[in-house]
Amino acid sequence: MINRILTMVRKELIDAARDKRSVMAGLYYAIGTPLMMCGMFMMLISQLTSPDDLNIHIQNPDKAPDLVKFLASSGINNGASSETPGLKVKEIYLTIADDYPEQMAKGLRAEVTLVADNSNEKLQKSISRLKKQLQAYASEMGSLRLIARGIDPRVVQPLKVVVEDQATADSKGGIILGFAIFTMIYAVFISGMNLAIDTSAGERERNSLALLLSHPISTWQLVMSKIISVTIFAMLGLALILIVSKIAYAFVPWQELGFAVNINPSFMLVMLAVGFPVAIMAAATQLFVSFMAKSFKEAQSYLTIVLLLPAALALAASYDIAPDTLQWLPVSGQQQALMAYVKGREIPLVQLAVSSLATLGIALALTFGLERSLKSEKIVFGL
Amino acid sequence: MHKGKMNLSRLAPPIRRSLAALALMVSTATLISSAQAAPESTSNHAQFVTQPCYIDGLSERLQCGYITVPENPEQPNGKVIDVHFAVLPAIKNTHPQEALLAIAGGPGQSAIENAAGFDRMLNKVRQQRDILLIDQRGTGKSNLLQCEGEGFEGALAIDESTFNTAEETQKCLDTLTKDGTDVRQYGSINALHDFEAIRTHLGYSKLHIYGISYGTRMAQLYMRHYPQHLLTVTLDGVVPMQQSVIAIGDAIERGFDKLLQDCEANTLCQQQFPQLAVELSSVKADLAAQATISQVNDPLTGETTQLTMTLNKFLGALRMALYNPNVRALIPHAIHQAAQGNYQAIMGLYAMTIDSTGIAMGMHTSVVCGEDWQRISPEFRAQVTRSYFGKEMLSSFDQSCNVWQMPAAPADFSAAIDSDIPTLVLSGELDPATPPSWGEMAMEKLKNAKHFIAPYATHGVAYQSCGNDLIHQLVTQLSVETLDASCLDKDVSRNFYLNASTVEAVPANTVTNSTKETPSAGAQL
């Protein structure tokens, strides 16, 4: 019996390998997604980080030459005063009030106006950097004014707030890794999809299903062999995306955002182990849905809709939406456990076990459903 | 036995003890150190522990640990001490076999206590490499040799001339040696072997070194004794091996001269304080003749207290203000006010120097008495005593070193470093501790080194300029050839304070009644 299944699996895989479309569909996703994400993040990082030399518009700079120099010493320059043509000047305006020197001389507050669009993501970092520097300048002057009056500046800093952040460089990259993990989990769905359709709706379309069933094999063996081959494809896709991710993510300068994204071998092993039940469920689901369709195209459109569900679950988990419920559900449970692992926290073993069992349960139920449907003449003869 | 002559001004604000203020040294740290000095280790193998930790000023989790080493390397079975270290882990560790070892100054500052400053300054290096900080033996957590004093209550009122250095030093020595500590084991060479032991234990095959101030001496010793483990070296505010730190008196004088020149060259400052040099001399002469006693409000408590303004307090406060470019900006105003008989600003500056525990005076004395005091010649002595600070310092060390009884460092200790390790040498033109000429002296036999002088920096160039970017370049490129130091010339100088409030030109018709602030003040209930 095992032998027969193996023979069938071999046949399915040879079939699939001959069908370039199935192979390539899996490959495109597994190779393309990490590369695309890396490109995206590289662009994002260059946008999110404030440039070393931040050029802004300073209006009325002669009223506060010391402030202007202080800002310049931390790399915030007055772009208007520069002679360099083609200099990139950010849309941030700092206007120094006309009475700035008078107010300062009297020991009063001197006004500077900061004009910028804080909803512009490209400016946010730069704006907060400028604000921070202005604050630093003000507090430095405040301290020196107190010293000049014979007062210890510490008396106006009554609170010393000590922050002990439990994040690590790895866990700070959690959101990005959460999304990376999502793409990996999704790989098991995408990689096997074309094969699943081809081997089910495709067989129906080509009318080869009846022929296959006329061989001395049980529908059970047939279903098993199809699920196994689709699962193998899904796992191959997962392995591939892991390898590509490991190589590609190393090239992204995450450290500029202050964290690290490491895909190490132990994570890859955990990912493969946790992804295995999901791959089985993905295979069973895809075959079950595809067998209901009469043609390749029809199956494709059904599956697109069905695949939204695991995608939604995984995404919700990666963005921490309703985590208490999601940790028990299939796909989202695994996603959460993997994120915990990446952040160096304890893996929620009970939740992982429950969601993995649920995943296998669904797979089993769908397998029975498949086996049943293959006994129906409607399906077999495409009526 | 006093004065942190070469401190990391920017790491900790210039809050160092003024001259001969030994009695004011308070430290509870000796208690801590004796508690730590009872480790379980009996073997002569250094024991190694590391665990996650937090350090003041940094919110993230770091790795801390210590190794246990014999206090006296000649007696491996004798007393042992724990030498503590901290690792600021690389953000993205692309070179796990390398680390940058940052060495603090003083002598006597704790590198770990200054972690936040190192982290900020070395931020780019840290993106790809670990930063290793070690509390050198006798400092910070590593069997701190701190002298206890009478407390700060009397700090403003005390007249330093009544102070008996020899007696206070003896008291300090008696306290430190109670637990069996041998202060003679706290020189630079022993500390260097601790550093190397920590490198081996942490498994770094190569190190980059950044040394600031006295830390440059440790860096140079590393170059001499373990060159095979070094990739690059940065010496910032250099104490060349050939130089005794007691020569700092001249450097301080030079720092004052530079300040007067700066003010004269600056239109605003010159107009506001046209007689600054004269005023400085007259205050010095007055205070040298007699201290001024007045009733003041304590800078911290606000209570009425007596201020005995001595020459020592006056110059000490100004000297420490010279370390920081931003505090330095207040000096002309402070001198001018003092010349009018108002010591408010001087007291403010002085208060900043009082209660710093930044320098472990016991360790400081061990280093200076062993490595700097004994090498000085009669000619040198005559030269040094020409300046106020040189004279004070020398007479103080003459007394404390007699008590301390440090063996002299070997004669070849003060030889120039002969090396071809890529070395970046940084000096600040305005440095009141280690002037550019000292950097030049360090270059004597460095075959693969470049010396850059930052025109607007004081002590600690990497903290005040693009010097830290140069370090990052050196660490990544492993060569000084491609370093472009033109960015050091960027004018980052600050305006001087023209009164107690402003650094900008005071408008001619500054009227006193303000309309601007009244509405907001009135609206507040």
Side-chain angles (χ1 to χ4, degrees):
Chain A
M1 151 134 177
I2 297 288
N3 261 340
R4 274 197 192 144
I5 293 183
L6 283 180
T7 316
M8 296 274 293
V9 168
R10 200 181 307 135
K11 168 248 165 204
E12 293 286 353
L13 289 179
I14 290 170
D15 255 6
R18 279 186 193 141
D19 177 11
K20 282 213 178 98
R21 192 171 47 180
S22 312
V23 180
M24 291 316 282
L27 284 185
Y28 283 147
Y29 180 86
I31 297 175
T33 316
L35 293 182
M36 252 169 55
M37 280 191 47
C38 286
M40 212 170 72
F41 280 119
M42 280 186 192
M43 270 169 56
L44 202 67
I45 285 172
S46 66
Q47 283 198 358
L48 282 182
T49 48
S50 187
D52 272 358
D53 267 311
L54 169 63
N55 297 305
I56 62 166
H57 302 272
I58 301 181
Q59 285 158 345
N60 227 355
D62 333 333
K63 293 286 177 187
D66 189 62
L67 173 61
V68 172
K69 236 195 256 179
F70 174 85
L71 292 178
S73 72
S74 65
I76 303 176
N77 304 307
N78 185 5
S81 75
S82 169
E83 297 96 49
T84 328
L87 189 75
K88 276 194 183 162
V89 184
K90 297 249 182 192
E91 286 301 301
I92 300 175
Y93 293 84
L94 188 70
T95 309
I96 291 150
D98 284 330
D99 63 353
Y100 181 99
E102 281 94 344
Q103 293 288 103
M104 273 291 178
K106 284 185 281 194
L108 294 172
R109 297 198 295 176
E111 193 173 283
V112 291
T113 311
L114 169 58
V115 181
D117 178 0
N118 206 19
S119 70
N120 184 342
E121 289 85 359
K122 290 183 195 168
L123 292 184
Q124 277 168 357
K125 278 262 167 160
S126 301
I127 293 172
S128 70
R129 176 172 156 202
L130 175 59
K131 277 188 190 161
K132 217 168 128 190
Q133 287 305 319
L134 290 172
Q135 196 56 50
Y137 184 76
S139 79
E140 180 203 291
M141 271 201 94
S143 294
L144 283 166
R145 280 177 170 189
L146 286 174
I147 291 173
R149 288 160 178 77
I151 297 168
D152 193 319
R154 282 174 302 176
V155 299
V156 295
Q157 300 151 11
L159 276 191
K160 177 184 169 189
V161 181
V162 177
V163 180
E164 296 191 351
D165 187 353
Q166 295 187 305
T168 62
D170 283 334
S171 70
K172 278 186 221 158
I175 292 190
I176 286 173
L177 261 170
F179 196 68
I181 291 172
F182 161 74
T183 62
M184 291 167 192
I185 290 189
Y186 209 56
V188 304
F189 288 93
I190 299 289
S191 311
M193 186 168 85
N194 269 33
L195 174 62
I197 298 175
D198 196 58
T199 190
S200 51
E203 297 239 33
R204 281 181 74 184
E205 203 173 23
R206 295 189 296 268
N207 289 325
S208 54
L209 193 57
L211 194 68
L212 197 60
L213 281 171
S214 63
H215 283 88
I217 48 165
S218 66
T219 44
W220 181 246
Q221 285 166 341
L222 182 74
V223 167
M224 283 309 285
S225 66
K226 285 194 187 292
I227 288 182
I228 289 173
S229 20
V230 175
T231 306
I232 288 174
F233 245 64
M235 290 304 286
L236 282 177
L238 178 60
L240 191 62
I241 197 171
L242 279 170
I243 293 167
V244 176
S245 299
K246 181 176 170 55
I247 298 166
Y249 286 180
F251 286 101
V252 182
W254 304 110
Q255 69 276 16
E256 285 180 24
L257 295 179
F259 57 72
V261 174
N262 289 320
I263 300 193
N264 51 31
S266 66
F267 168 75
M268 292 167 78
L269 285 178
V270 172
M271 180 79 224
L272 285 172
V274 172
F276 187 56
V278 183
I280 298 174
M281 185 188 77
T285 314
Q286 286 165 344
L287 286 168
F288 185 80
V289 173
S290 304
F291 263 119
M292 303 218 216
K294 291 191 186 108
S295 69
F296 199 97
K297 282 210 171 131
E298 197 186 343
Q300 251 178 342
S301 43
Y302 289 165
L303 272 182
T304 320
I305 296 165
V306 172
L307 284 188
L308 280 179
L309 191 66
L313 280 172
L315 264 184
S318 72
Y319 285 106
D320 245 6
I321 302 166
D324 292 338
T325 319
L326 287 179
Q327 64 186 349
W328 303 101
L329 300 183
V331 184
S332 56
Q334 281 99 333
Q335 165 97 17
Q336 280 201 353
L338 284 165
M339 279 166 66
Y341 177 79
V342 162
K343 289 183 186 176
R345 300 195 193 127
E346 216 174 308
I347 298 185
L349 281 177
V350 181
Q351 285 89 330
L352 179 62
V354 170
S355 57
S356 295
L357 284 177
T359 311
L360 287 173
I362 293 173
L364 203 64
L366 288 170
T367 313
F368 277 120
L370 257 179
E371 202 239 343
R372 209 149 223 246
S373 68
L374 280 189
K375 285 182 178 151
S376 140
E377 294 175 355
K378 206 174 141 201
I379 298 270
V380 176
F381 297 107
L383 297 172
Chain B
M1 156 90 219
H2 51 69
K3 75 254 113 213
K5 34 189 70 70
M6 283 164 292
N7 45 51
L8 297 136
S9 54
R10 273 293 288 265
L11 294 188
I15 37 176
R16 301 288 161 258
R17 230 150 273 112
S18 71
L19 283 167
L22 176 76
L24 311 176
M25 277 157 216
V26 153
S27 171
T28 51
T30 19
L31 294 173
I32 302 168
S33 65
S34 51
Q36 285 169 343
E40 63 282 28
S41 158
T42 47
S43 77
N44 56 359
H45 291 286
Q47 290 205 339
F48 174 62
V49 192
T50 178
Q51 64 195 48
C53 62
Y54 291 96
I55 291 173
D56 206 11
L58 286 174
S59 60
E60 59 189 306
R61 201 166 11 175
L62 312 169
Q63 289 295 317
C64 293
Y66 61 87
I67 59 166
T68 303
V69 294
E71 185 186 51
N72 182 351
E74 312 272 294
Q75 293 170 16
N77 296 318
K79 178 185 162 70
V80 290
I81 55 172
D82 294 339
V83 179
H84 287 252
F85 59 83
V87 176
L88 314 183
I91 306 291
K92 179 177 174 181
N93 203 342
T94 52
H95 297 79
Q97 294 303 307
E98 294 175 20
L100 184 141
L101 167 64
I103 311 174
Q109 283 194 318
S110 151
I112 297 178
E113 281 164 22
N114 287 307
F118 280 125
D119 178 59
R120 219 173 309 129
M121 191 268 290
L122 295 169
N123 147 293
K124 283 191 184 164
V125 177
R126 204 195 141 187
Q127 293 201 344
Q128 288 168 323
R129 287 169 182 84
D130 290 349
I131 307 289
L132 171 60
L133 303 174
I134 301 174
D135 270 353
Q136 189 169 337
R137 52 165 66 197
T139 74
K141 291 176 171 172
S142 305
N143 199 24
L144 181 70
L145 300 189
Q146 184 60 285
C147 294
E148 295 203 49
E150 293 165 3
F152 303 119
E153 300 84 49
L156 295 171
I158 195 170
D159 182 350
E160 293 83 357
S161 58
T162 63
F163 193 75
N164 188 334
T165 307
E167 199 176 282
E168 292 299 329
T169 309
Q170 187 62 54
K171 234 191 265 174
C172 174
L173 182 65
D174 293 345
T175 319
L176 291 180
T177 48
K178 249 180 224 159
D179 65 350
T181 293
D182 177 1
V183 295
R184 292 168 301 172
Q185 301 303 326
Y186 290 79
S188 303
I189 296 283
N190 278 355
L192 180 73
H193 299 315
D194 299 342
F195 284 14
E196 176 61 11
I198 288 173
R199 179 198 67 79
T200 322
H201 273 90
L202 286 174
Y204 297 117
S205 59
K206 297 279 183 186
L207 288 181
H208 301 269
I209 292 193
Y210 169 80
I212 164 77
S213 202
Y214 160 75
T216 61
R217 175 176 291 173
M218 293 301 294
Q220 290 169 84
L221 287 174
Y222 223 122
M223 293 167 87
R224 177 183 287 165
H225 291 270
Y226 302 105
Q228 68 277 21
H229 298 306
L230 299 187
L231 285 172
T232 70
V233 176
T234 303
L235 307 175
D236 187 356
V238 197
V239 185
M241 296 311 294
Q242 307 96 299
Q243 186 66 273
S244 160
V245 298
I246 293 171
I248 195 175
D250 288 343
I252 300 171
E253 289 299 316
R254 180 184 170 279
F256 273 102
D257 291 345
K258 282 274 166 198
L259 176 90
L260 293 175
Q261 286 166 21
D262 270 10
C263 181
E264 212 175 305
N266 179 308
T267 326
L268 290 175
C269 190
Q270 207 276 331
Q271 279 170 1
Q272 194 80 2
F273 312 112
Q275 298 294 318
L276 196 61
V278 178
E279 286 172 343
L280 177 60
S281 316
S282 85
V283 176
K284 273 161 79 173
D286 289 354
L287 292 178
Q290 197 187 4
T292 305
I293 296 174
S294 58
Q295 295 294 314
V296 292
N297 296 331
D298 185 282
L300 206 51
T301 65
E303 284 165 17
T304 310
T305 177
Q306 179 187 311
L307 171 69
T308 308
M309 184 48 68
T310 55
L311 183 59
N312 192 301
K313 283 200 188 71
F314 176 71
L315 289 178
L318 292 182
R319 175 198 163 200
M320 286 307 159
L322 284 173
Y323 276 89
N324 243 340
N326 47 10
V327 184
R328 186 177 183 267
L330 193 58
I331 297 180
H333 169 73
I335 293 176
H336 181 68
Q337 290 298 312
Q340 325 276 310
N342 175 2
Y343 289 101
Q344 208 86 41
I346 297 288
M347 178 177 73
L349 290 173
Y350 177 70
M352 305 275 294
T353 69
I354 300 177
D355 65 346
S356 157
T357 46
I359 295 217
M361 289 313 297
M363 178 273 193
H364 186 90
T365 309
S366 294
V367 169
V368 176
C369 289
E371 297 160 19
D372 299 281
W373 178 70
Q374 305 193 46
R375 68 160 99 160
I376 55 181
S377 62
E379 300 84 59
F380 181 87
R381 190 170 271 274
Q383 194 209 328
V384 161
T385 45
R386 282 191 313 220
S387 74
Y388 171 81
F389 284 103
K391 203 168 106 196
E392 285 283 310
M393 212 166 282
L394 202 54
S395 88
S396 166
F397 275 116
D398 284 347
Q399 296 175 63
S400 55
C401 290
N402 270 328
V403 175
W404 224 251
Q405 293 294 320
M406 275 299 284
D412 60 357
F413 183 85
S414 46
I417 298 296
D418 187 344
S419 165
D420 54 7
I421 298 168
T423 306
L424 169 62
V425 181
L426 296 171
S427 297
E429 177 62 27
L430 309 176
D431 195 333
T434 55
S437 58
W438 292 25
E440 213 39 62
M441 194 188 288
M443 293 287 290
E444 190 184 329
K445 288 185 181 168
L446 295 181
K447 293 192 269 304
N448 190 4
K450 274 198 176 167
H451 181 205
F452 297 122
I453 300 167
Y456 303 101
T458 61
H459 194 55
V461 175
Y463 291 86
Q464 303 171 18
S465 64
C466 64
N468 57 340
D469 293 339
L470 296 179
I471 299 172
H472 177 237
Q473 278 179 41
L474 173 66
V475 166
T476 38
Q477 298 168 0
L478 302 179
S479 156
V480 289
E481 289 313 313
T482 48
L483 294 183
D484 174 15
S486 59
C487 63
L488 288 174
D489 297 329
K490 183 169 173 179
D491 184 358
V492 292
S493 67
R494 304 292 299 278
N495 281 6
F496 287 107
Y497 275 77
L498 302 175
N499 62 25
S501 303
T502 193
V503 292
E504 310 294 5
V506 184
N509 55 345
T510 301
V511 272
T512 38
N513 71 335
S514 134
T515 48
K516 184 112 190 161
E517 286 287 297
T518 348
S520 79
Q524 281 159 15
L525 296 174

